[in-house]
Amino acid sequence: MEPLLVEVYLGQKGEPTPRVFTHDGVRHEVDRILDRWYRQEMTYFRLSTKGGRRYVLRLDEESQRWEMVMQEEG
């Protein structure tokens, strides 16, 4: 998986939450976090962008590396 450039804000509990991410040179503004879940050392975010697309991103808590898990069709 390709690493992403992600701008975050700190959520209510101080956790990094994506606000903007850049993938393949295209900047995507996050409109809404649709879901969030945790697995071992990873945090996953299902989100929609202002362009109407949906993605699943994950954050490796240890390395602070962001990756795109999938882009949803729709």
Side-chain angles (χ1 to χ4, degrees):
M1 281 177 245
E2 178 181 333
L4 298 176
L5 297 174
V6 180
E7 297 174 31
V8 301
Y9 66 92
L10 297 181
Q12 293 178 356
K13 298 177 183 177
E15 72 281 6
T17 302
R19 177 186 324 207
V20 175
F21 66 95
T22 303
H23 178 254
D24 288 338
V26 178
R27 182 178 164 93
H28 302 274
E29 291 186 53
V30 176
D31 182 46
R32 251 180 12 165
I33 302 296
L34 303 170
D35 196 8
R36 173 191 322 232
W37 65 96
Y38 305 92
R39 296 284 187 265
Q40 297 174 346
E41 300 296 320
M42 304 284 186
T43 302
Y44 291 81
F45 296 87
R46 183 170 174 255
L47 55 87
S48 62
T49 64
K50 293 192 177 183
R53 295 182 180 254
R54 293 183 179 188
Y55 297 89
V56 175
L57 306 183
R58 78 175 175 198
L59 171 63
D60 181 317
E61 300 285 342
E62 186 175 317
S63 69
Q64 292 297 296
R65 178 180 165 148
W66 288 89
E67 297 175 328
M68 181 181 300
V69 176
M70 66 183 244
Q71 178 180 342
E72 296 181 358
E73 297 297 323

